[in-house]
Amino acid sequence: MVMFDRITVDPSVMAGQPTIRGMRFPVATVVRMVAHGLSVDEILHEHPDLEAPDIFMALEYAAAAVESESYLPLNRTA
């Protein structure tokens, strides 16, 4: 089992959204930047408080969340 030691949830930070190391930097924002094609180096350049392991942990956390939670509605392909 993966331990998400870089992901924190605190009701007083970003309304309890999962964030990176208690910073006001939501996991969803990191995942969205990757989805929009930004490289790890580009993200780190734009956000020097982040570290490469933060980005990889955010992606791992998102994957685990999708596996364990209900799925968003999608169009059927067939």
Side-chain angles (χ1 to χ4, degrees):
M1 184 165 96
V2 176
M3 299 302 294
F4 299 106
D5 57 346
R6 291 178 169 268
I7 309 299
T8 54
V9 176
D10 180 341
S12 66
V13 177
M14 300 299 294
Q17 292 181 57
T19 61
I20 304 297
R21 294 183 284 120
M23 297 186 288
R24 300 183 65 74
F25 211 106
V27 168
T29 300
V30 175
V31 173
R32 191 167 288 114
M33 287 188 291
V34 173
H36 287 186
L38 274 70
S39 70
V40 171
D41 288 338
E42 289 170 322
I43 294 169
L44 296 177
H45 179 75
E46 292 294 322
H47 305 282
D49 289 339
L50 292 179
E51 300 170 356
D54 296 329
I55 297 167
F56 300 125
M57 185 69 60
L59 293 171
E60 187 67 38
Y61 180 86
V66 169
E67 284 180 340
S68 66
E69 297 292 325
S70 59
Y71 295 96
L72 295 174
L74 300 173
N75 291 330
R76 292 184 179 240
T77 57

